Amino acid sequence: MERNTDRCLYLAIALDAVWLNLCLFGFLLVQISYNQGFRPVVMNTLPYLVLCINVFWLLTATFTNVYQVFEGVKLNLKIKDLFLSVLIYTGLISLVYYQFFFPVFQTHFLIPAFFSFLLLSAVSHFAIRYYIRNRTVGLTYAVIGGEGSNLEHLQLVLSSVYGDQVMCVGRFANEEIPEANNLGSYEDIEAYLNKNSSISKLLYFYSDLSKKSVQRIIQVCRNRYIDFEIVPLEVDLFEQGIKLEQFAYLPIFRRKKEPLCLVQNKILKRVFDIVFSLLVIVLIFPWLFPLVILMIKLESKGPIFFLQKRTGYWNKPFNCIKFRTMEVNAKSDRQQATKRDSRITQVGAIFRRTNIDELPQFFNVLKGDMSVVGPRPHMLQHTEDYSNLIDKYMIRHEVKPGITGWAQVSGWRGPTKELYQMDKRVEHDVNYIENWSFWFDCKCIFLTVLNMVKGEDNAF
């Protein structure tokens, strides 16, 4: 996939440099035309700005590998890499800009310049990729060893990265399997490679070949310009994929971590939690809290707030705060509320349908016990019970519990009389953890507000 594409790669880099300078200095000149007094100072400072703009883009593009395997990777993945590169580049240039050039240049041209660059670069990448794909064959590969499940998983992975033009020519092994075309035994590999140049990759799972024989095959691949790559035998062992780490000279394969294991995502989510919680507390609590407190006091005796021990982050218990929606009773820590539950007050029923009873948990968020979005925290007794019944139940505690969650907005809230109900809730929670993104959180918040307005049948 990477052979005979240097010219196109250099063309892409050159075009990006042209678009970058054209956009930045085009918008800058437009700004100067409205303020002629800046012209003399701009001319003296311009060479330094040109140097910074181009050097920083080269460093950013190199760091993010935006041109890696340029011709083969699917377009949506390349645009994602390009967008990330421009985003990082914008941050770096902004820091330098405000430090050294702000007194000279105004800032109005930066955002439209970067947006225009991203658009033009994406168009040129698409055009070059289209040109290449119409003049080259797609990815063709053969495998050494492997079982049917290994080959199927490998095909799915390669297709997800390189698109539909991916074809497995066949398999070398001493035993045939119906899932793949047999190219011969292990002894036929070298002869096949010397006679055929139709494959671009040879992927090695395992075999009975000696180390010396494998090294010989690697040398033949190099002579025939075929990529030789080693794939872990149990490539589909971990559902979320495999991450390669290196300790000294020893490669280690580990389960790929979830998005919220990354430091930058943790910081983003925590900052959002703090900002969002403060906005709710400042804008909503001053006028809503007095009304809620008055309604609770007028209907029943007891405290305003209800504190309950629930399972939190990494299985640690914490005090979850709610507005009291029930008569004071001795079963509140182990018995779920049910429809027409005699313990629920009339005011409490309204609060539960509209999620108003959960609002004090924004203080839990500020404290750090909870997040705005995440798996709902369960009572300690339920954690103990269901952890023995549902395999993935404890995965829920790898992230902070939330005021709302993907399971709740998907309709899986309320009492869990049947085991399948809790199983579906856990399934949605795990799906959220494995596929978290900032926009996923925004979607959950939007659906929560929508459900608060409409009311929910399972909220009681």
Side-chain angles (χ1 to χ4, degrees):
M1 290 297 288
E2 299 176 21
R3 63 183 78 169
N4 302 322
T5 58
D6 284 350
R7 291 181 180 179
C8 293
L9 176 61
Y10 296 147
L11 176 61
I13 296 173
L15 283 176
D16 280 351
V18 171
W19 299 142
L20 178 63
N21 288 273
L22 183 65
C23 292
L24 283 169
F25 295 113
F27 280 97
L28 177 59
L29 291 174
V30 170
Q31 185 185 90
I32 292 175
S33 66
Y34 289 101
N35 193 340
Q36 295 294 329
F38 279 110
R39 182 181 294 272
V41 185
V42 167
M43 292 302 120
N44 293 329
T45 316
L46 198 57
Y48 302 104
L49 183 60
V50 172
L51 181 63
C52 286
I53 283 173
N54 289 278
V55 169
F56 273 89
W57 172 249
L58 181 61
L59 293 174
T60 304
T62 302
F63 174 76
T64 55
N65 292 324
V66 73
Y67 299 113
Q68 187 178 17
V69 198
F70 176 82
E71 78 290 351
V73 176
K74 291 172 69 175
L75 182 62
N76 64 317
L77 298 180
K78 294 308 303 176
I79 299 302
K80 180 181 177 182
D81 290 343
L82 187 61
F83 178 79
L84 176 63
S85 298
V86 173
L87 191 65
I88 295 174
Y89 176 70
T90 303
L92 293 174
I93 285 295
S94 297
L95 290 175
V96 175
Y97 184 85
Y98 281 106
Q99 184 69 29
F100 299 104
F101 302 109
F102 179 67
V104 179
F105 306 128
Q106 301 301 305
T107 59
H108 304 82
F109 74 97
L110 282 177
I111 299 302
F114 287 135
F115 179 79
S116 301
F117 166 62
L118 178 62
L119 181 62
L120 290 170
S121 180
V123 171
S124 63
H125 279 228
F126 171 78
I128 295 172
R129 181 177 180 276
Y130 181 82
Y131 172 83
I132 294 172
R133 293 196 68 177
N134 281 275
R135 286 162 177 78
T136 58
V137 182
L139 173 64
T140 56
Y141 67 96
V143 297
I144 299 176
E147 301 299 334
S149 60
N150 302 137
L151 304 187
E152 181 181 358
H153 186 77
L154 178 63
Q155 178 70 19
L156 289 174
V157 172
L158 292 175
S159 298
S160 69
V161 175
Y162 291 105
D164 297 330
Q165 293 183 320
V166 176
M167 182 179 67
C168 178
V169 176
R171 169 179 176 266
F172 294 100
N174 291 335
E175 296 180 357
E176 298 184 17
I177 59 173
E179 292 87 350
N181 177 41
N182 181 54
L183 297 177
S185 66
Y186 297 134
E187 297 176 354
D188 301 322
I189 297 175
E190 187 173 340
Y192 179 91
L193 295 178
N194 285 321
K195 293 180 180 179
N196 296 274
S197 58
S198 59
I199 63 173
S200 51
K201 286 184 185 292
L202 181 62
L203 299 167
Y204 179 85
F205 277 98
Y206 67 95
S207 72
D208 297 327
L209 292 168
S210 65
K211 182 178 179 180
K212 185 176 181 180
S213 298
V214 175
Q215 289 174 334
R216 175 59 188 166
I217 293 172
I218 293 174
Q219 185 59 49
V220 173
C221 286
R222 290 195 66 183
N223 292 336
R224 305 292 293 175
Y225 306 112
I226 298 171
D227 295 329
F228 182 89
E229 298 173 357
I230 299 176
V231 183
L233 175 60
E234 300 298 343
V235 68
D236 54 350
L237 183 63
F238 297 115
E239 295 179 1
Q240 285 304 106
I242 294 174
K243 179 182 179 182
L244 174 63
E245 294 184 359
Q246 187 164 332
F247 294 91
Y249 299 103
L250 179 66
I252 300 292
F253 293 102
R254 287 183 171 179
R255 177 178 61 87
K256 187 178 179 181
K257 297 294 185 180
E258 288 76 16
L260 284 174
C261 291
L262 300 177
V263 175
Q264 61 268 32
N265 290 338
K266 287 184 178 181
I267 294 174
L268 174 62
K269 188 170 177 63
R270 183 58 183 153
V271 170
F272 176 78
D273 285 343
I274 293 173
V275 172
F276 191 87
S277 299
L278 287 174
L279 286 174
V280 172
I281 291 172
V282 171
L283 299 178
I284 297 178
F285 282 18
W287 59 269
L288 182 61
F289 262 41
L291 293 176
V292 172
I293 292 171
L294 180 63
M295 294 170 70
I296 293 174
K297 280 297 185 183
L298 288 176
E299 184 174 13
S300 62
K301 295 181 180 180
I304 301 298
F305 299 103
F306 173 64
L307 272 67
Q308 186 179 59
K309 287 284 185 182
R310 296 204 176 187
T311 308
Y313 191 39
W314 293 121
N315 202 29
K316 295 181 180 178
F318 72 101
N319 288 316
C320 183
I321 312 171
K322 298 179 66 174
F323 281 124
R324 183 173 59 84
T325 59
M326 293 183 176
E327 301 285 354
V328 178
N329 64 93
K331 300 179 180 179
S332 57
D333 286 331
R334 59 182 183 275
Q335 181 179 333
Q336 282 185 315
T338 57
K339 200 167 187 177
R340 291 184 289 274
D341 195 315
S342 60
R343 298 174 298 166
I344 301 176
T345 63
Q346 292 182 349
V347 169
I350 298 174
F351 292 165
R352 296 173 79 95
R353 278 197 303 270
T354 56
N355 293 318
I356 290 177
D357 62 319
E358 312 285 359
L359 288 178
Q361 289 165 31
F362 282 104
F363 291 110
N364 283 123
V365 175
L366 282 181
K367 185 181 176 184
D369 291 330
M370 295 180 65
S371 179
V372 176
V373 182
R376 284 294 298 160
H378 291 166
M379 292 184 287
L380 302 184
Q381 184 63 50
H382 284 171
T383 298
E384 183 178 346
D385 294 340
Y386 287 114
S387 62
N388 296 318
L389 299 173
I390 300 175
D391 287 340
K392 295 185 178 181
Y393 185 86
M394 296 306 292
I395 295 177
R396 303 174 73 256
H397 308 114
E398 290 183 1
V399 299
K400 290 181 181 180
I403 296 177
T404 186
W406 179 233
Q408 282 62 46
V409 299
S410 300
W412 298 101
R413 61 169 297 178
T416 50
K417 295 181 179 179
E418 303 291 337
L419 183 61
Y420 84 90
Q421 294 173 306
M422 180 60 77
D423 191 42
K424 293 298 292 185
R425 183 183 295 185
V426 171
E427 178 185 326
H428 281 72
D429 289 337
V430 173
N431 177 265
Y432 167 81
I433 293 171
E434 294 178 346
N435 299 281
W436 178 90
S437 71
F438 176 74
W439 304 113
F440 202 166
D441 276 2
C442 293
K443 178 180 179 180
C444 290
I445 292 172
F446 172 78
L447 292 175
T448 299
V449 174
L450 187 63
N451 289 339
M452 288 177 67
V453 175
K454 295 191 306 182
E456 297 181 78
D457 295 335
N458 292 334
F460 45 78

